Amino acid sequence: MPVPHASQALKRFTVLDLTRVRAGPTCVRQLADWGANVVKIDALLEDAGGEQLGGPRHGSDFQNLHRNKRAIALNLKKPEGIEVFRRLVEKADVVVENFRPDVKAKLGVDYESVRKINPRIVYGSISGFGQDGPYHKRPGFDQIAQGMGGLMSITGAPGEGPMRVGIPVADLTAGLFCAMGILTALLERDVSGEGQWVKTSLLQAQIFMLDFQASRWLMEKDVAKQAGNDHPTSIPTGVFKTSDGYINIATTGGRIWQRFCEALGDPDLANRPEYATAPDRSKNRKALNAEIGKFTEKKSSETWVKEFNAAGVPCGPIYSIDQVFADAQVEHLGMAQDVPNTEGRHIRLVGQPFTLSRTPSRMAARPPEFGEQTEEVLSEFGFTAEEIKSLRQGKVV
């Protein structure tokens, strides 16, 4: 198959994808979805029947992470496999990996080794805790980073113990930050002519995502605690029961608070001394939420969403995943997209969350089968038919 350029934006870049599981593939997916020529390097093991990391190849998770790529199978534990990789590096722009720091050095695919072959290479690394330091050899997993990065201590209801977030937020954000770092390094390379090493970790990404909760500690020495569905600083903002379910309401600032009380049907509520100012509303949060609940329980979620939004009060439904994709605005944004494939399989995946006016992204190709384009890709990189035949016979590819 030809290179599945999903966009013209990054078409000039070739990416070697050594990543596995989630954080790394999330990074490379960003590059693939915006048109980079991505070559996924599947680990060809001598015990080829062993389970590959990343889940079933036709499973929804793997499919969502690896669209718009091609794949070769390569045994990096053989010297001949490393030699093949080195030849690929000569013509590549980017290498992305998420091995433990000591593993890539043993394999000989670490940054220093790669840079000697191609000084223009931009090398992206994602680890659990960093490339050095006291924890750098520890294996990293999303939930561990959520705990060590402080997120679980501020998630969930007060008194119910720490709670993980329902998505692998540390994995996903580390992948996105690595992609951002790679694109930054590629822009800088246009000036200097040299590549560089882009490093991030699940722990760094998770701490960065604490955002204002982190700055509350760093600037004010205020340790945030669990607040459940209540926003920690904008009050009242949270989940409120309706006659047929629940809704989110966000009232930030005095003017919205006034409009909210009017739309709620109790304009005098805004002027009561115990709720008149933001500090008052924070101090008396529980009582205020109970007052609001007496009103919201009288009407349906759909009615309140319409009425509050008409009044200029931020409000929205709380959807299950199926309801998310049935929403009119979500359909308009095209967040669910079909992936073309000749096998007639149903592949519908989540599209990119931003658009470019001239060089849009699209689902150009289904995720590759294991090592599906090995011969095709190696030929493009200058390997002869005889060389490829020999590599196959030697179980290198």
Side-chain angles (χ1 to χ4, degrees):
M1 62 179 276
V3 178
H5 292 298
S7 171
Q8 297 298 303
L10 301 179
K11 184 178 179 180
R12 69 187 188 276
F13 298 116
T14 294
V15 179
L16 303 181
D17 178 8
L18 290 170
T19 69
R20 305 166 298 165
V21 192
R22 184 176 313 282
T26 296
C27 166
V28 180
R29 178 179 60 189
Q30 286 303 107
L31 307 177
D33 279 3
W34 291 103
N37 172 22
V38 172
V39 177
K40 173 174 165 49
I41 299 177
D42 289 324
L44 179 62
L45 306 176
E46 295 193 355
D47 126 6
E51 182 178 341
Q52 296 289 321
L53 292 171
R57 203 147 188 124
H58 287 184
S60 59
D61 194 10
F62 188 98
Q63 295 285 293
N64 197 45
L65 284 167
H66 295 287
R67 72 277 186 110
N68 295 328
K69 303 177 182 179
R70 295 183 296 170
I72 69 171
L74 183 62
N75 190 338
L76 291 174
K77 293 188 176 181
K78 287 193 170 186
E80 300 91 337
I82 293 298
E83 185 56 37
V84 171
F85 177 73
R86 291 168 66 89
R87 285 178 62 177
L88 299 179
V89 166
E90 290 175 5
K91 294 185 177 182
D93 297 283
V94 177
V95 172
V96 188
E97 58 83 25
N98 58 341
F99 295 117
R100 288 205 315 271
D102 55 325
V103 171
K104 56 180 167 285
K106 290 179 182 177
L107 290 174
V109 299
D110 56 296
Y111 174 62
E112 290 303 324
S113 299
V114 168
R115 184 167 68 102
K116 291 175 183 177
I117 304 165
N118 182 354
R120 287 176 54 81
I121 207 78
V122 171
Y123 188 100
S125 292
I126 304 174
S127 60
F129 303 97
Q131 296 299 312
D132 45 37
Y135 303 158
H136 80 281
K137 290 186 179 181
R138 290 186 183 182
F141 289 88
D142 175 84
Q143 189 158 336
I144 306 302
Q146 285 195 34
M148 291 180 67
L151 183 62
M152 291 174 69
S153 74
I154 56 174
T155 303
E160 294 186 3
M163 178 67 66
R164 69 178 289 274
V165 174
I167 59 170
V169 63
D171 275 339
L172 297 174
T173 52
L176 293 173
F177 292 146
C178 189
M180 185 184 300
I182 288 168
L183 294 174
T184 303
L186 288 171
L187 284 172
E188 193 280 335
R189 191 181 73 173
D190 288 342
V191 178
S192 68
E194 295 183 25
Q196 55 186 306
W197 192 2
V198 177
K199 295 177 277 187
T200 190
S201 67
L202 306 191
L203 185 59
Q204 287 169 284
Q206 184 59 80
I207 293 171
F208 184 85
M209 291 301 290
L210 289 177
D211 198 65
F212 76 95
Q213 297 284 40
S215 66
R216 286 174 68 184
W217 161 250
L218 294 173
M219 296 290 293
E220 301 157 11
K221 302 306 177 188
D222 183 3
V223 178
K225 295 180 174 60
Q226 291 168 307
N229 288 317
D230 291 326
H231 192 279
T233 58
S234 298
I235 300 161
T237 294
V239 174
F240 295 90
K241 195 174 188 309
T242 65
S243 64
D244 62 351
Y246 297 87
I247 56 173
N248 273 316
I249 303 171
T251 57
T252 303
R255 290 186 179 181
I256 293 180
W257 166 240
Q258 293 281 344
R259 294 200 298 266
F260 168 71
C261 292
E262 292 173 7
L264 190 66
D266 188 3
D268 293 335
L269 185 66
N271 301 315
R272 285 169 55 174
E274 63 268 41
Y275 308 136
T277 68
D280 292 327
R281 294 192 290 277
S282 179
K283 180 180 178 182
N284 299 294
R285 179 201 296 267
K286 288 187 178 179
L288 176 56
N289 285 349
E291 293 270 6
I292 294 169
K294 292 176 183 177
F295 287 89
T296 59
E297 290 182 12
K298 295 178 181 179
K299 298 180 183 180
S300 69
S301 296
E302 183 178 4
T303 299
W304 279 122
V305 168
K306 289 179 179 177
E307 291 185 4
F308 282 134
N309 277 290
V313 176
C315 176
I318 299 174
Y319 287 148
S320 58
I321 303 298
D322 57 328
Q323 291 172 324
V324 169
F325 289 99
D327 183 271
Q329 184 65 24
V330 176
E331 290 184 347
H332 171 77
L333 293 171
M335 289 305 296
Q337 300 177 16
D338 292 317
V339 183
N341 67 95
T342 57
E343 298 86 354
R345 287 196 286 124
H346 171 71
I347 308 177
R348 191 164 174 80
L349 304 174
V350 182
Q352 279 291 315
F354 65 92
T355 61
L356 297 181
S357 60
R358 289 191 298 101
T359 56
S361 174
R362 65 189 177 93
M363 296 293 181
R366 62 159 173 74
E369 298 299 326
F370 182 82
E372 182 176 357
Q373 292 85 20
T374 298
E375 291 191 19
E376 173 185 310
V377 170
L378 291 180
S379 296
E380 292 173 7
F381 276 81
F383 287 79
T384 67
E386 283 301 313
E387 285 178 312
I388 296 172
K389 181 180 178 180
S390 176
L391 290 169
R392 281 200 180 278
Q393 289 175 340
K395 296 184 179 180
V396 178
V397 300

